[in-house]
Amino acid sequence: MTTFVDRVELHVAAGNGGHGCASVHREKFKPLGGPDGGNGGRGGDVILVVDQAITTLLEYHHSPHRKATNGQPGAGDNRSGKDGQDLVLTVPDGTVVLDKQGNVLADLVGQGTTFIAGQGGRGGLGNAALSSARRKAPGFALLGEPGEARDIVLELKTVADVALVGYPSAGKSSLISVLSAAKPKIADYPFTTLVPNLGVVTAGSTVYTIADVPGLIPGASQGRGLGLEFLRHVERCSVLVHVLDTATLESDRDPVTDLDVIEEELKQYGGLDDRPRIVVLNKIDIPDGQDLADMIRPDLEARGYQVFEASAVARTGLKELSFALAEIVGKARAAKPKEESTRIVLRPKAVDDAGFTVTYDEAEDVYRVRGEKPERWVRQTDFNNDEAVGYLADRLNRLGVEDELMKAGARAGDGVAIGSEDNAVVFDWEPTMMAGAEMLGRRGEDHRLEAPRPAAQRRRDREAERDEAQREFDEFNPF
């Protein structure tokens, strides 16, 4: 059974906002009580939070669909609906959040770092909040907005100071088991390690983490073997340690060639050229291993590598290696810029920013209105209520949508679409529908919507002409 997962696709859905309530206060001996509909509650957010106690994404591998709770609708007597509860999802330190196209949305490093993966919908206003001097008793309320739903990809990049890399069976797991308290699986066959292992090493006053990356082979950067799955785990390390097997039983391999092959794979993967390298000649407890180490050490040092000889079985050379790694890690930590507290930056929009655009879509023969406010207002409108539709028209007119439609060349009866192409509300534009709360009749009605619309009348005229033509055809062609 899989116990380590470092990449999952997560389907998150924030909570929907609760609908506002349209209610009128009714109480004995209190005439003209007025509107008392409460507002709907806000939908819950989906929030990712870093928890360093978690080391795998296994939980989301088994249950990838997560949804926050919805906000409750408002009620009469000015009672607002309850807000939806935020859904907090804990992720390991070093988790990268991407969209389906591979774009990085967030890089979560550090205990308590948060990212809102799904924004909860706003609650709709009740008719008590919508009342004004001209619209004293609204017969409608606003609908709650749907919560944000999207698919994201979580990738875990291990946060370690030191990464052990090398061929399968080079002895990486054995080294990490004697350098730290980690207990990885150790066996005498290739690809024993199928998941990265983490260990904590103490060298004097320095404490650092070390990762054992599963064995790399030629072609790992292109997906061969296990390399592509786990090369991402070396991206955050401060130093790379090449573990070379000086006692390999394969006749076509030697430590120097192994080093060149692994370096080429790291170069192909990219982004690791600036990391310091250390070479560990492992398995010197074997006589042939010691002899080979003595032969190749001058060549490696001539290339500029710092070389250590070690044996996990005999436990020799480990102290020198751990203190050398601690020195490099200490320098890397000192060179890092000091972390500052997150600053909240306010970027107010320009005063003359209309906040929407009007364009003509020739393919659909409609004028398309795009903008945060118009699209949100459409989502909040109950189109079964004429007064609510009239209120939407008033808001759009005050925003300047009608003026922009006229400038774009729209005429009465032309189609207007508000929203994206796949989720837009289309209606026939009637430019006479200007702000007119004083024109309202009974609650829930709007006289401006009672007159036939030009486009609808034209459609009815065309249908009548087709029916008349069909009738005449049937009269002259009885068979």
Side-chain angles (χ1 to χ4, degrees):
M1 178 175 146
T2 302
T3 57
F4 180 86
V5 175
D6 64 346
R7 189 180 191 279
V8 296
E9 183 175 335
L10 197 61
H11 313 278
V12 297
N16 300 327
H19 299 328
C21 175
S23 172
V24 175
H25 183 72
R26 292 180 175 85
E27 187 175 351
K28 191 176 182 180
F29 304 124
K30 288 187 178 180
L32 304 177
D36 67 347
N39 303 331
R42 178 188 62 85
D45 297 335
V46 179
I47 305 174
L48 303 181
V49 180
V50 172
D51 185 353
Q52 293 181 339
I54 299 175
T55 59
T56 177
L57 299 170
L58 180 64
E59 178 183 357
Y60 309 118
H61 173 73
H62 293 307
S63 53
H65 296 270
R66 300 302 179 101
K67 187 180 188 309
T69 57
N70 299 330
Q72 298 299 312
D77 201 15
N78 292 305
R79 291 174 294 175
S80 296
K82 182 180 179 182
D83 290 341
Q85 187 175 1
D86 294 338
L87 178 61
V88 179
L89 305 178
T90 54
V91 296
D93 192 6
T95 300
V96 179
V97 186
L98 307 98
D99 59 15
K100 294 283 289 185
Q101 290 72 37
N103 302 314
V104 177
L105 302 177
D107 193 353
L108 306 179
V109 179
Q111 177 71 22
T113 304
T114 62
F115 171 71
I116 299 179
Q119 187 80 43
R122 300 186 185 185
L125 296 179
N127 64 343
L130 295 172
S131 61
S132 64
R134 293 193 301 171
R135 185 181 277 105
K136 298 183 181 297
F140 68 98
L142 298 185
L143 304 179
E145 286 189 85
E148 184 181 10
R150 61 179 173 177
D151 300 333
I152 58 176
V153 176
L154 303 182
E155 283 189 354
L156 175 59
K157 295 182 180 179
T158 303
V159 180
D161 299 300
V162 179
L164 304 181
V165 296
Y167 262 75
S169 298
K172 302 183 295 298
S173 298
S174 300
L175 277 178
I176 198 173
S177 67
V178 295
L179 287 172
S180 67
K183 301 299 179 185
K185 181 181 179 182
I186 301 174
D188 58 352
Y189 54 85
F191 297 109
T192 306
T193 303
L194 299 178
V195 299
N197 296 303
L198 276 177
V200 180
V201 182
T202 302
S205 59
T206 304
V207 179
Y208 59 91
T209 56
I210 186 169
D212 163 26
V213 180
L216 304 179
I217 61 175
S221 59
Q222 281 75 42
R224 189 179 176 194
L226 300 176
L228 190 60
E229 295 294 327
F230 299 110
L231 270 172
R232 70 172 72 98
H233 292 277
V234 305
E235 291 185 22
R236 303 186 192 276
C237 64
S238 301
V239 57
L240 290 172
V241 178
H242 284 283
V243 181
L244 303 182
D245 186 358
T246 60
T248 179
L249 299 178
E250 300 179 29
S251 58
D252 58 340
R253 281 181 49 201
D254 65 86
V256 177
T257 304
D258 291 353
L259 174 64
D260 294 337
V261 170
I262 299 302
E263 276 293 332
E264 180 62 26
E265 294 305 320
L266 295 176
K267 180 180 178 181
Q268 292 294 329
Y269 186 75
L272 301 171
D273 295 336
D274 60 335
R275 312 300 163 85
R277 266 79 159 163
I278 283 182
V279 174
V280 175
L281 300 176
N282 196 22
K283 303 182 183 180
I284 61 171
D285 56 294
I286 300 176
D288 292 342
Q290 181 64 65
D291 295 340
L292 184 57
D294 294 337
M295 292 175 56
I296 64 175
R297 179 165 186 163
D299 184 19
L300 296 174
E301 290 178 342
R303 296 188 183 188
Y305 291 110
Q306 190 176 1
V307 183
F308 293 87
E309 298 178 4
S311 171
V313 176
R315 304 205 172 201
T316 58
L318 302 179
K319 184 176 181 180
E320 295 83 356
L321 175 61
S322 63
F323 275 88
L325 293 175
E327 182 180 358
I328 297 177
V329 170
K331 292 180 180 179
R333 291 175 178 174
K336 285 184 178 180
K338 185 178 179 181
E339 295 185 359
E340 298 182 358
S341 58
T342 303
R343 296 181 178 180
I344 299 176
V345 180
L346 300 179
R347 296 184 176 90
K349 294 183 179 180
V351 176
D352 59 347
D353 185 10
F356 67 92
T357 59
V358 176
T359 57
Y360 179 65
D361 188 345
E362 294 184 1
E364 299 292 335
D365 191 24
V366 295
Y367 290 86
R368 195 171 298 278
V369 180
R370 297 300 307 273
E372 180 183 352
K373 283 185 177 181
E375 293 180 31
R376 184 176 75 244
W377 293 345
V378 166
R379 291 194 298 266
Q380 293 178 323
T381 300
D382 179 9
F383 287 94
N384 294 320
N385 187 303
D386 289 347
E387 189 178 354
V389 176
Y391 178 69
L392 171 64
D394 295 343
R395 302 177 86 179
L396 294 175
N397 181 50
R398 288 195 298 269
L399 187 62
V401 173
E402 288 208 358
D403 294 338
E404 293 299 323
L405 285 171
M406 290 180 180
K407 292 178 182 179
R411 297 181 304 163
D414 289 341
V416 176
I418 300 180
S420 59
E421 295 184 5
D422 56 345
N423 188 24
V425 174
V426 183
F427 57 92
D428 296 328
W429 183 48
E430 175 50 64
T432 60
M433 289 187 61
M434 299 185 177
E438 68 280 357
M439 299 171 57
L440 299 178
R442 295 181 298 177
R443 295 179 62 248
E445 296 180 355
D446 192 317
H447 294 315
R448 294 171 293 177
L449 300 178
E450 295 178 359
R453 293 174 292 178
Q457 186 62 44
R458 287 198 295 268
R459 282 197 298 269
R460 283 193 290 268
D461 293 341
R462 288 195 298 267
E463 292 174 359
E465 291 176 0
R466 286 197 299 268
D467 293 342
E468 180 64 22
Q470 184 65 37
R471 185 181 62 80
E472 293 178 356
F473 178 79
D474 293 339
E475 289 179 356
F476 289 101
N477 296 276
F479 301 103

